[in-house]
Amino acid sequence: PLAVTHPSLWNDTTAREKISFSRVVNEQIDDESIIWFPYDPPSYGQALDWLFFSGPSYPAFLTAIFHLAPFHDFWVVRIMQAILDSLTALLIWLVMRRLISDRGGLVAAFLWVLYGPAIIKTGELLTESFAIFLTVAMVWSMLRAFDSQRGSWLAAAGAICSILAMAKASTALLIIPMVVAWLWTNRKGALRPRQSIALLAGVWLIVMLPWLFLVNHRFGRFAVRDPSYGDANFRQANILETEGYNTDMAPTDFWTYPVWREIRNRPVEYVRLYLQKFRRLWWRACDDYRIGFPFSETGVQWLHRLTALFAAVGVCLWTRRAGPSAWLA
């Protein structure tokens, strides 16, 4: 985003290495600071290197905001993310009204509006609000494709899935269950299987390919983001002693310990770890900052559990209406 307001830095290598990234931030964007700037301020060139692996989708979103906004302030981004989250609530209403009922759509949208962790994320400059909007928009596009049997909606779903993968690398393989679910649920539809695969997977690949080649040129292998970043996530998530969660307690052999051998030699402990992760995902809200907005911390935890319970009920209602094959989707 800073390159839009400071384009000369792209062409001047010497300036990129000499000018402090924090100075550019202070000149161009108000009301934000990063805690590690005072300790080891990077040059603008170093910052570009470090930020490369993040994927282009969310930076492009920020760039568009900074380019169009009358002034450069991170509060503008927060306001736009709140608007985007409001659109997410609207899409949730449309999706659940289609899958369950008018009343079910209202309940789902109301739960989303009150969900504390989602509210917190709209105020953070992270990919969550952006990625969740893309996810729900992708589901809506798939439903529209199923109802209308128009290839344009299926192509839109493939493009959104690719943009989502470039924002959240962990969703890169989502295209596979999308293709399988579409072929299963649309067996008798007007869109033929080959045509469907060409539209859904083909558009996904076309949108993704330029980024894959760029990452391959940079790191020497095809990946959705910096491969070492993915390796670090995989290793950190499988450390038994820290329950795959606390990055401040990483062992000294973090970059060398054999993850797959550890899983093979200690299967019971790893099964327990993954069950604990599943419980953590569904039974408590992730709140590293101990923030209890809009309720107390305990209130947020119980609201999270209530939302998970309603979600389970919603899935059961959906499968009851759509039939057992809905579980595949």
Side-chain angles (χ1 to χ4, degrees):
L2 294 174
V4 174
T5 56
H6 230 76
S8 61
L9 289 175
W10 279 106
N11 303 317
D12 191 337
T13 305
T14 304
R16 284 208 305 268
E17 296 307 323
K18 288 184 177 180
I19 295 178
S20 168
F21 182 67
S22 55
R23 195 180 93 192
V24 178
V25 172
N26 292 333
E27 287 178 356
Q28 298 297 324
I29 300 177
D30 299 324
D31 193 41
E32 197 74 19
S33 63
I34 299 177
I35 193 169
W36 44 263
F37 274 167
Y39 302 102
D40 187 18
S43 68
Y44 191 78
Q46 289 173 325
L48 288 177
D49 288 340
W50 295 345
L51 297 175
F52 175 86
F53 60 72
S54 62
S57 297
Y58 188 64
F61 171 70
L62 297 179
T63 297
I65 293 175
F66 288 136
H67 185 69
L68 298 173
F71 55 93
H72 305 129
D73 190 306
F74 280 121
W75 276 105
V76 179
V77 179
R78 292 184 171 96
I79 292 171
M80 288 303 299
Q81 289 187 165
I83 294 173
L84 198 67
D85 200 62
S86 300
L87 295 175
T88 300
L90 176 62
L91 284 173
I92 288 173
W93 170 64
L94 292 172
V95 167
M96 299 312 296
R97 186 180 68 164
R98 162 65 177 78
L99 292 178
I100 298 179
S101 65
D102 290 344
R103 184 180 299 175
L106 289 174
V107 171
F110 187 70
L111 282 170
W112 184 253
V113 168
L114 291 182
Y115 189 46
I119 296 172
I120 293 173
K121 292 300 181 184
T122 61
E124 296 180 349
L125 269 76
L126 296 171
T127 59
E128 269 69 20
S129 296
F130 180 71
I132 291 171
F133 169 78
L134 290 176
T135 303
V136 182
M138 180 182 65
V139 173
W140 173 239
S141 298
M142 291 286 284
L143 287 172
R144 293 292 298 156
F146 182 85
D147 291 340
S148 66
Q149 291 296 307
R150 292 176 58 183
S152 56
W153 280 107
L154 199 58
I160 295 172
C161 185
S162 186
I163 296 170
L164 172 63
M166 289 186 284
K168 275 287 191 183
S170 55
T171 65
L173 296 179
L174 190 58
I175 187 65
I176 296 174
M178 283 179 65
V179 169
V180 172
W182 173 262
L183 293 178
W184 177 264
T185 56
N186 201 56
R187 303 188 297 282
K188 302 177 181 179
L191 288 174
R192 296 177 180 177
R194 290 183 180 179
Q195 180 184 7
S196 300
I197 294 175
L199 281 171
L200 189 56
V203 171
W204 182 92
L205 188 61
I206 290 171
V207 176
M208 178 69 75
L209 269 179
W211 176 247
L212 291 178
F213 278 114
L214 185 61
V215 176
N216 180 67
H217 175 74
R218 178 62 179 267
F219 297 104
R221 57 180 285 196
F222 286 103
V224 181
R225 64 185 308 170
D226 181 348
S228 62
Y229 187 88
D231 187 29
N233 270 344
F234 177 69
R235 289 177 173 278
Q236 181 267 325
N238 284 283
I239 301 174
L240 289 173
E241 291 74 16
T242 63
E243 299 179 350
Y245 188 67
N246 192 340
T247 54
D248 297 329
M249 297 174 60
T252 55
D253 62 343
F254 179 79
W255 288 108
T256 57
Y257 85 94
V259 181
W260 290 113
R261 194 179 72 190
E262 286 289 298
I263 295 175
R264 184 191 63 198
N265 293 341
R266 305 168 70 180
V268 175
E269 289 89 338
Y270 275 96
V271 168
R272 188 180 298 117
L273 172 63
Y274 297 142
L275 289 174
Q276 190 170 357
K277 288 184 179 184
F278 186 82
R279 172 187 170 276
R280 193 160 60 210
L281 176 67
W282 290 105
W283 201 239
R284 76 171 186 85
C286 179
D287 186 2
D288 295 334
Y289 304 105
R290 320 299 289 178
I291 299 173
F293 180 79
F295 308 107
S296 67
E297 185 180 344
T298 303
V300 168
Q301 299 292 353
W302 280 103
L303 181 60
H304 177 82
R305 295 166 183 172
L306 183 64
T307 305
L309 179 63
F310 269 95
V313 172
V315 169
C316 292
L317 288 175
W318 173 42
T319 53
R320 180 180 177 184
R321 176 176 176 177
S325 63
W327 279 103
L328 180 62

